[in-house]
Amino acid sequence: MQEYITVSMLNAYISRLFDQDEFLQEFWLKGELSGFRFYKQSGHSYFSLKDKDATINCVMFKSRMHTVNFQPEDGMEVLLRGYVSVYARQGKYQVYVEEMIPYGTGSLFLYLEKLKARLAEQGYFDAARKREIPRIVNRIGVVTSQDGAALQDILRVIRQRHPGAQVIVAHSSVQGSEAPRELAAGVRMLNEHGLAEVIIMARGGGSLEDLMAFNSEQVVQAVYTSKIPVISAVGHEVDVTFCDLVADLRAATPTQAAQFAVPDYTAVQKHRDELTLRMNRCMQRLLANRLERLDRCLMRKVWTQPQGVAKKQADRLTSCQQRLGAAMLEKVKNDRHRFALTAQGLDNMSPLKVLARGYAIATVEGAVVRRIDEVSEGDLLNIEMIDGRLTAVIEGKEKIERWKG
Amino acid sequence: MEGLNFESAMARLEEIVEQLESGELSLESSLAIFEEGVRLSLYCQQELEKTDGKVQRLLRKLNGEFALEDMEA
């Protein structure tokens, strides 16, 4: 009996195949609406999308319908974002639609405006979170097409400004349905690899459709979560894609992006040399002035004739001694002089001197008699002479006016 | 010189030159930061000459590892 499998096993297997295929997880699909039916009770819509050769069934659940801001009608060209999965019970695969917009430049602008508003509201474009590009960069990551002109411009500028710089290219197509996924993968890969100090997202000029990949949410998300600062240079100067808005720095052209990314190394080299020169010159000046101060100090006599110091002290000593001596002499002389004067004075006053000159001193019981009324007749009087004492009795006394005191 | 990158080395060098030129430092501290300055200056010079100017393509091999392939740009 032949080995066999069941219908559900087959459908389950097919369903798993679909769910594992990366591409089928999200893509943009263009086609013409037909058989569009909206079921009020469930809120879901069912339709098919066709082009001139093929058709495919689609379903848009109620939860996604709010993103449709137009009235879908059969025959309309639309652009929808969705994924494919197998409805196992019936063994049919269909597109599960996340977002749908009318196709055609008009609607593209409308779509972009709406997406931009949503991204802005979610903070993807906040200026506050934009980081500084490091001043000195040696390793630059570039996410672009390896065959594109953008890469050539970037390499030319980098080689010119910083010949030693290392460039790491994450190749990615820059338009077409694969571009969003590859660009996003390129940014993530560079982040994971971790060597690049800055990432440049670059693409040359192109139409709005050509640049659409850089407006995709995948790319915006990848740049937003990049740990490495991102410089974005997409399209011509006039074009601004969401990638430019979410990046840390927007450059008008790939060339300018490279200039922002890499400092002009000759300038950095010159700056370093200049700093080193200033440092050396300043140090020399500092040492020179300290040495000079030392020299000036050493030149002073105190070092050249050390004995000078001793001599000075000795001189001071001798001069002190001399002054001391002189002062003493002076003092002695003065004292002697004063002594003589006082002695002289004393001498003059000395009673002996008076007696020697022939005067006599009258005393009564040892006390000197100065006035005649201190005594009376008959009193006993001692008279002191130079060579002895006389005793006498007062016989008479008489007042005489000698001196107008 | 671990933990030092070119940018912080340059910044510190600038700081040292300013301090030295201010003339407020003692001889000892001037000599100390001068020595640091010389080391930083040498480090920066080496960094400037170090990186090899290659252009490479970053690839992820099947086993998930990274590979850098030289590109003749």
Side-chain angles (χ1 to χ4, degrees):
Chain A
M1 248 270 279
Q2 223 2 31
E3 200 47 60
Y4 64 86
I5 58 173
T6 64
V7 171
S8 46
M9 279 166 69
L10 176 62
N11 281 358
Y13 180 79
I14 293 172
S15 169
R16 243 195 346 276
L17 267 184
F18 272 65
D19 292 346
Q20 275 160 8
D21 182 290
E22 210 184 321
F23 173 73
L24 295 180
Q25 300 324 304
E26 188 183 45
F27 50 75
W28 281 94
L29 187 62
K30 179 171 92 71
E32 188 190 307
L33 277 180
S34 77
F36 186 90
R37 294 200 16 247
F38 170 70
Y39 289 82
K40 255 200 215 51
Q41 334 82 317
S42 66
H44 308 324
S45 303
Y46 294 87
F47 54 92
S48 53
L49 206 64
K50 63 183 174 74
D51 57 21
K52 58 184 173 21
D53 308 323
T55 181
I56 189 167
N57 292 340
C58 304
V59 62
M60 193 165 192
F61 294 129
K62 181 156 140 330
S63 60
R64 301 307 303 163
M65 280 309 285
H66 68 272
T67 65
V68 178
N69 54 20
F70 67 96
Q71 181 45 43
E73 276 134 19
D74 288 358
M76 273 182 85
E77 280 283 304
V78 292
L79 198 62
L80 59 81
R81 180 169 62 86
Y83 59 91
V84 168
S85 188
V86 174
Y87 182 43
R89 272 171 53 74
Q90 293 173 350
K92 279 197 286 179
Y93 66 87
Q94 56 189 354
V95 174
Y96 292 78
V97 181
E98 299 276 299
E99 232 180 303
M100 183 158 64
I101 52 172
Y103 179 73
T105 320
S107 62
L108 208 51
F109 272 122
L110 183 70
Y111 163 70
L112 287 177
E113 279 318 308
K114 209 160 62 61
L115 177 56
K116 182 174 173 183
R118 182 158 59 77
L119 292 175
E121 192 217 311
Q122 286 166 351
Y124 282 97
F125 303 148
D126 289 355
R129 57 170 291 285
K130 294 200 188 308
R131 287 159 298 200
E132 285 278 315
I133 306 299
R135 197 163 61 128
I136 310 287
V137 167
N138 293 316
R139 294 179 299 277
I140 305 105
V142 185
V143 179
T144 186
S145 154
Q146 63 194 6
D147 320 315
L151 181 58
Q152 296 314 320
D153 291 348
I154 291 171
L155 294 180
R156 181 173 41 76
V157 170
I158 290 179
R159 212 166 287 122
Q160 186 194 2
R161 291 168 70 86
H162 181 10
Q166 187 185 350
V167 179
I168 307 165
V169 177
H171 167 65
S172 154
S173 57
V174 287
Q175 67 187 57
S177 59
E178 285 307 297
R181 195 173 50 72
E182 286 176 7
L183 288 167
V187 176
R188 275 196 297 277
M189 207 164 61
L190 282 169
N191 266 273
E192 222 179 299
H193 183 249
L195 214 55
E197 290 157 313
V198 71
I199 294 178
I200 301 179
M201 306 277 289
R203 184 203 191 293
S207 69
L208 182 62
E209 280 75 13
D210 295 340
L211 308 182
M212 266 306 277
F214 291 87
N215 287 322
S216 71
E217 248 180 291
Q218 281 183 67
V219 169
V220 169
Q221 183 64 20
V223 170
Y224 182 78
T225 51
S226 165
K227 291 191 297 302
I228 303 170
V230 174
I231 302 176
S232 169
V234 179
H236 298 303
E237 185 141 2
V238 70
D239 304 317
V240 178
T241 62
F242 297 166
C243 179
D244 296 317
L245 293 176
V246 67
D248 296 286
L249 183 61
R250 176 184 178 255
T253 61
T255 303
Q256 191 182 51
Q259 280 158 356
F260 286 158
V262 167
D264 178 353
Y265 252 59
T266 42
V268 177
Q269 177 75 52
K270 203 155 64 52
H271 183 45
R272 186 210 74 88
D273 299 347
E274 189 199 294
L275 282 178
T276 311
L277 190 66
R278 269 167 63 191
M279 184 171 66
N280 292 337
R281 207 180 309 127
C282 184
M283 205 56 212
Q284 266 143 20
R285 214 170 340 97
L286 196 71
L287 286 176
N289 113 27
R290 289 300 197 283
L291 279 174
E292 194 212 309
R293 261 164 65 187
L294 192 60
D295 285 348
R296 258 208 322 284
C297 176
L298 286 180
M299 280 216 293
R300 295 256 290 280
K301 242 179 7 347
V302 77
W303 300 105
T304 47
Q305 299 138 357
Q307 77 284 15
V309 177
K311 187 167 161 308
K312 217 162 98 198
Q313 299 303 4
D315 293 351
R316 256 175 75 210
L317 188 60
T318 44
S319 83
C320 285
Q321 282 162 342
Q322 280 155 1
R323 275 177 30 233
L324 187 65
M328 281 309 290
L329 275 175
E330 191 62 27
K331 183 158 181 13
V332 162
K333 209 160 89 243
N334 291 346
D335 289 355
R336 196 176 290 126
H337 180 58
R338 253 178 49 243
F339 175 72
L341 279 180
T342 40
Q344 181 67 30
L346 206 62
D347 210 24
N348 296 343
M349 303 285 289
S350 126
L352 302 182
K353 226 341 158 310
V354 171
L355 299 185
R357 289 208 293 276
Y359 292 94
I361 302 171
T363 66
V364 169
E365 293 132 7
V368 176
V369 175
R370 288 189 176 72
R371 298 284 183 277
I372 57 172
D373 38 17
E374 284 170 17
V375 289
S376 38
E377 281 168 14
D379 280 4
L380 186 70
L381 204 64
N382 287 331
I383 298 169
E384 305 294 335
M385 308 283 295
I386 185 66
D387 56 354
R389 174 183 303 121
L390 306 176
T391 54
V393 172
I394 300 169
E395 290 182 355
K397 58 179 189 173
E398 181 203 356
K399 210 170 209 24
I400 306 165
E401 201 57 47
R402 289 196 202 280
W403 170 65
K404 285 273 158 300
Chain B
M1 281 289 172
E2 63 336 292
L4 188 68
N5 63 38
F6 187 88
E7 186 148 351
S8 56
M10 283 294 281
R12 176 61 185 144
L13 189 54
E14 277 157 359
E15 218 178 87
I16 286 176
V17 174
E18 243 106 56
Q19 279 174 358
L20 280 175
E21 283 178 342
S22 72
E24 278 142 21
L25 294 176
S26 70
L27 186 55
E28 290 70 24
S29 29
S30 305
L31 277 173
I33 61 169
F34 174 68
E35 215 178 287
E36 186 191 349
V38 168
R39 273 204 310 278
L40 288 171
S41 162
L42 199 63
Y43 167 82
C44 290
Q45 187 56 36
Q46 282 153 3
E47 279 297 302
L48 284 170
E49 284 144 10
K50 191 174 73 180
T51 45
D52 44 21
K54 284 211 293 292
V55 180
Q56 294 163 310
R57 183 182 304 116
L58 180 62
L59 297 171
R60 194 195 286 277
K61 289 192 276 184
L62 286 180
N63 59 16
E65 275 160 18
F66 286 113
L68 282 174
E69 224 180 56
D70 278 352
M71 275 171 72
E72 41 4 274

CSV table of all heavy atoms in Angstrom, one decimal, chain A residues 10 21 25 38 62 71 76 79 89 97 124 165 180 203 218 224 252 273 277 284 299 305 310 354 370 391 399:
chain,number,residue,atom,x,y,z
A,10,LEU,N,-1.4,18.0,4.4
A,10,LEU,CA,-0.9,18.7,3.3
A,10,LEU,C,-1.1,20.2,3.4
A,10,LEU,O,-0.2,21.0,3.3
A,10,LEU,CB,-1.6,18.2,2.0
A,10,LEU,CG,-1.2,18.9,0.7
A,10,LEU,CD1,0.3,18.7,0.4
A,10,LEU,CD2,-2.0,18.4,-0.5
A,21,ASP,N,8.1,32.0,4.7
A,21,ASP,CA,8.8,32.8,3.6
A,21,ASP,C,8.8,34.3,4.0
A,21,ASP,O,7.8,34.9,4.2
A,21,ASP,CB,8.0,32.6,2.3
A,21,ASP,CG,8.7,33.4,1.2
A,21,ASP,OD1,8.7,34.6,1.2
A,21,ASP,OD2,9.4,32.7,0.4
A,25,GLN,N,5.8,38.0,4.2
A,25,GLN,CA,5.4,38.6,5.5
A,25,GLN,C,4.9,40.0,5.3
A,25,GLN,O,4.1,40.5,6.0
A,25,GLN,CB,6.5,38.5,6.5
A,25,GLN,CG,7.0,37.1,6.8
A,25,GLN,CD,5.9,36.1,6.7
A,25,GLN,OE1,4.9,36.2,7.4
A,25,GLN,NE2,6.0,35.1,5.9
A,38,PHE,N,-18.2,44.7,1.2
A,38,PHE,CA,-18.0,45.1,2.6
A,38,PHE,C,-19.2,44.4,3.4
A,38,PHE,O,-20.3,44.7,3.1
A,38,PHE,CB,-18.0,46.6,2.8
A,38,PHE,CG,-18.1,47.0,4.2
A,38,PHE,CD1,-16.9,46.8,5.0
A,38,PHE,CD2,-19.2,47.6,4.8
A,38,PHE,CE1,-17.0,47.2,6.4
A,38,PHE,CE2,-19.2,48.0,6.1
A,38,PHE,CZ,-18.1,47.8,6.9
A,62,LYS,N,-11.8,44.2,9.9
A,62,LYS,CA,-12.4,45.4,10.4
A,62,LYS,C,-11.3,46.3,11.0
A,62,LYS,O,-11.2,47.5,10.8
A,62,LYS,CB,-13.5,45.0,11.4
A,62,LYS,CG,-14.2,46.2,12.1
A,62,LYS,CD,-15.6,45.6,12.6
A,62,LYS,CE,-16.1,46.1,13.9
A,62,LYS,NZ,-15.2,46.5,14.9
A,71,GLN,N,-13.1,55.7,-0.7
A,71,GLN,CA,-14.2,54.7,-0.9
A,71,GLN,C,-13.8,53.8,-2.0
A,71,GLN,O,-13.7,54.1,-3.1
A,71,GLN,CB,-15.5,55.5,-1.3
A,71,GLN,CG,-16.7,54.6,-1.5
A,71,GLN,CD,-16.8,53.5,-0.4
A,71,GLN,OE1,-16.6,53.8,0.8
A,71,GLN,NE2,-17.1,52.3,-0.8
A,76,MET,N,-10.8,50.5,-9.5
A,76,MET,CA,-9.8,51.4,-9.0
A,76,MET,C,-8.4,50.8,-9.0
A,76,MET,O,-8.3,49.7,-8.6
A,76,MET,CB,-10.2,51.9,-7.6
A,76,MET,CG,-11.1,53.1,-7.6
A,76,MET,SD,-11.4,53.6,-5.8
A,76,MET,CE,-9.9,54.6,-5.6
A,79,LEU,N,-3.0,50.6,-4.2
A,79,LEU,CA,-1.7,50.1,-3.7
A,79,LEU,C,-2.0,49.6,-2.3
A,79,LEU,O,-2.6,50.3,-1.5
A,79,LEU,CB,-0.7,51.3,-3.6
A,79,LEU,CG,0.8,51.0,-3.5
A,79,LEU,CD1,1.3,50.2,-4.8
A,79,LEU,CD2,1.6,52.3,-3.4
A,89,ARG,N,-8.4,25.4,6.0
A,89,ARG,CA,-9.6,24.6,5.8
A,89,ARG,C,-10.0,24.5,4.4
A,89,ARG,O,-10.4,23.4,3.9
A,89,ARG,CB,-10.8,25.3,6.6
A,89,ARG,CG,-10.9,24.8,8.1
A,89,ARG,CD,-11.9,25.6,8.9
A,89,ARG,NE,-13.2,25.7,8.2
A,89,ARG,CZ,-14.0,24.6,8.2
A,89,ARG,NH1,-13.6,23.5,8.8
A,89,ARG,NH2,-15.2,24.7,7.6
A,97,VAL,N,-4.9,42.1,4.0
A,97,VAL,CA,-4.5,43.5,3.7
A,97,VAL,C,-4.4,44.3,5.0
A,97,VAL,O,-5.3,44.4,5.8
A,97,VAL,CB,-5.5,44.2,2.8
A,97,VAL,CG1,-5.1,45.6,2.5
A,97,VAL,CG2,-5.7,43.3,1.5
A,124,TYR,N,9.1,59.8,15.8
A,124,TYR,CA,10.2,59.3,15.0
A,124,TYR,C,11.1,60.5,14.6
A,124,TYR,O,12.3,60.3,14.4
A,124,TYR,CB,9.8,58.5,13.8
A,124,TYR,CG,9.3,57.1,14.1
A,124,TYR,CD1,8.0,56.8,14.3
A,124,TYR,CD2,10.3,56.1,14.3
A,124,TYR,CE1,7.6,55.5,14.6
A,124,TYR,CE2,9.9,54.8,14.6
A,124,TYR,CZ,8.5,54.5,14.7
A,124,TYR,OH,8.2,53.3,15.1
A,165,ALA,N,40.8,56.4,6.4
A,165,ALA,CA,39.5,56.0,6.9
A,165,ALA,C,39.1,54.6,6.3
A,165,ALA,O,39.5,54.3,5.2
A,165,ALA,CB,38.4,57.0,6.5
A,180,PRO,N,13.1,48.4,0.5
A,180,PRO,CA,12.9,48.7,2.0
A,180,PRO,C,13.5,47.7,2.9
A,180,PRO,O,14.2,48.0,3.8
A,180,PRO,CB,11.3,48.7,2.1
A,180,PRO,CG,10.8,49.0,0.7
A,180,PRO,CD,11.8,48.4,-0.2
A,203,ARG,N,21.4,57.8,-1.7
A,203,ARG,CA,20.9,57.4,-3.0
A,203,ARG,C,20.9,58.6,-3.9
A,203,ARG,O,20.7,59.7,-3.4
A,203,ARG,CB,19.4,57.0,-2.8
A,203,ARG,CG,18.8,56.4,-4.1
A,203,ARG,CD,17.3,56.5,-4.1
A,203,ARG,NE,16.7,55.8,-5.2
A,203,ARG,CZ,16.9,56.1,-6.5
A,203,ARG,NH1,17.6,57.2,-6.9
A,203,ARG,NH2,16.3,55.4,-7.5
A,218,GLN,N,9.7,50.4,7.4
A,218,GLN,CA,10.8,49.5,7.8
A,218,GLN,C,12.1,50.3,7.9
A,218,GLN,O,12.8,50.1,8.9
A,218,GLN,CB,11.0,48.4,6.7
A,218,GLN,CG,10.0,47.3,6.7
A,218,GLN,CD,10.4,46.3,5.6
A,218,GLN,OE1,11.4,45.7,5.6
A,218,GLN,NE2,9.5,46.2,4.6
A,224,TYR,N,15.7,54.6,13.1
A,224,TYR,CA,15.3,55.1,14.4
A,224,TYR,C,16.0,54.3,15.6
A,224,TYR,O,16.4,54.8,16.5
A,224,TYR,CB,13.8,55.0,14.6
A,224,TYR,CG,13.2,55.5,15.9
A,224,TYR,CD1,13.0,56.9,16.1
A,224,TYR,CD2,12.8,54.6,16.9
A,224,TYR,CE1,12.5,57.4,17.3
A,224,TYR,CE2,12.3,55.1,18.1
A,224,TYR,CZ,12.2,56.5,18.3
A,224,TYR,OH,11.6,57.0,19.5
A,252,ALA,N,22.4,67.2,1.9
A,252,ALA,CA,21.7,67.4,0.6
A,252,ALA,C,22.1,66.4,-0.4
A,252,ALA,O,21.3,66.0,-1.2
A,252,ALA,CB,22.0,68.9,0.2
A,273,ASP,N,49.1,69.2,15.9
A,273,ASP,CA,50.5,69.7,15.8
A,273,ASP,C,50.6,71.0,16.5
A,273,ASP,O,51.4,71.3,17.4
A,273,ASP,CB,51.0,69.8,14.4
A,273,ASP,CG,51.0,68.5,13.7
A,273,ASP,OD1,50.8,67.4,14.4
A,273,ASP,OD2,51.0,68.4,12.4
A,277,LEU,N,52.7,72.0,19.8
A,277,LEU,CA,53.7,73.1,19.8
A,277,LEU,C,53.4,74.1,20.9
A,277,LEU,O,54.3,74.4,21.7
A,277,LEU,CB,53.5,73.9,18.4
A,277,LEU,CG,54.6,74.9,18.1
A,277,LEU,CD1,56.0,74.1,17.9
A,277,LEU,CD2,54.3,75.7,16.8
A,284,GLN,N,58.5,75.4,28.0
A,284,GLN,CA,59.8,75.9,28.0
A,284,GLN,C,59.8,77.3,28.7
A,284,GLN,O,60.6,77.6,29.6
A,284,GLN,CB,60.3,76.1,26.6
A,284,GLN,CG,61.1,74.9,26.1
A,284,GLN,CD,60.8,74.7,24.6
A,284,GLN,OE1,60.3,75.6,23.9
A,284,GLN,NE2,61.1,73.5,24.1
A,299,MET,N,72.5,85.1,42.4
A,299,MET,CA,73.5,86.2,42.1
A,299,MET,C,73.7,87.1,43.3
A,299,MET,O,74.7,87.8,43.4
A,299,MET,CB,73.0,87.0,40.9
A,299,MET,CG,73.3,86.3,39.6
A,299,MET,SD,73.7,87.6,38.5
A,299,MET,CE,72.1,88.4,38.4
A,305,GLN,N,79.7,86.0,48.2
A,305,GLN,CA,80.7,86.1,49.2
A,305,GLN,C,80.1,85.7,50.5
A,305,GLN,O,79.7,86.6,51.3
A,305,GLN,CB,81.2,87.6,49.3
A,305,GLN,CG,81.9,88.1,48.1
A,305,GLN,CD,81.4,89.5,47.8
A,305,GLN,OE1,80.6,90.1,48.5
A,305,GLN,NE2,81.9,90.1,46.7
A,310,ALA,N,79.0,86.6,57.5
A,310,ALA,CA,79.6,86.6,58.8
A,310,ALA,C,80.2,88.0,59.1
A,310,ALA,O,80.0,88.5,60.2
A,310,ALA,CB,80.8,85.6,58.8
A,354,VAL,N,81.5,126.0,106.7
A,354,VAL,CA,81.0,127.3,107.3
A,354,VAL,C,81.9,127.6,108.5
A,354,VAL,O,82.4,128.7,108.5
A,354,VAL,CB,79.6,127.1,107.7
A,354,VAL,CG1,79.1,128.3,108.5
A,354,VAL,CG2,78.7,126.9,106.4
A,370,ARG,N,68.1,129.5,115.5
A,370,ARG,CA,68.2,130.3,114.3
A,370,ARG,C,67.7,131.7,114.5
A,370,ARG,O,68.1,132.6,113.8
A,370,ARG,CB,67.3,129.7,113.2
A,370,ARG,CG,67.9,128.4,112.7
A,370,ARG,CD,67.0,128.0,111.5
A,370,ARG,NE,67.7,126.8,110.9
A,370,ARG,CZ,67.7,125.6,111.4
A,370,ARG,NH1,67.1,125.4,112.6
A,370,ARG,NH2,68.3,124.6,110.8
A,391,THR,N,80.9,127.3,125.9
A,391,THR,CA,79.6,127.4,126.6
A,391,THR,C,79.4,128.8,127.1
A,391,THR,O,80.4,129.4,127.6
A,391,THR,CB,79.5,126.4,127.7
A,391,THR,OG1,80.6,126.6,128.6
A,391,THR,CG2,79.5,124.9,127.2
A,399,LYS,N,67.3,142.7,118.5
A,399,LYS,CA,66.8,142.4,117.2
A,399,LYS,C,67.5,143.4,116.2
A,399,LYS,O,67.5,144.6,116.4
A,399,LYS,CB,65.3,142.6,117.1
A,399,LYS,CG,64.6,141.7,116.1
A,399,LYS,CD,63.1,141.8,116.3
A,399,LYS,CE,62.3,140.6,116.0
A,399,LYS,NZ,62.9,139.4,116.0
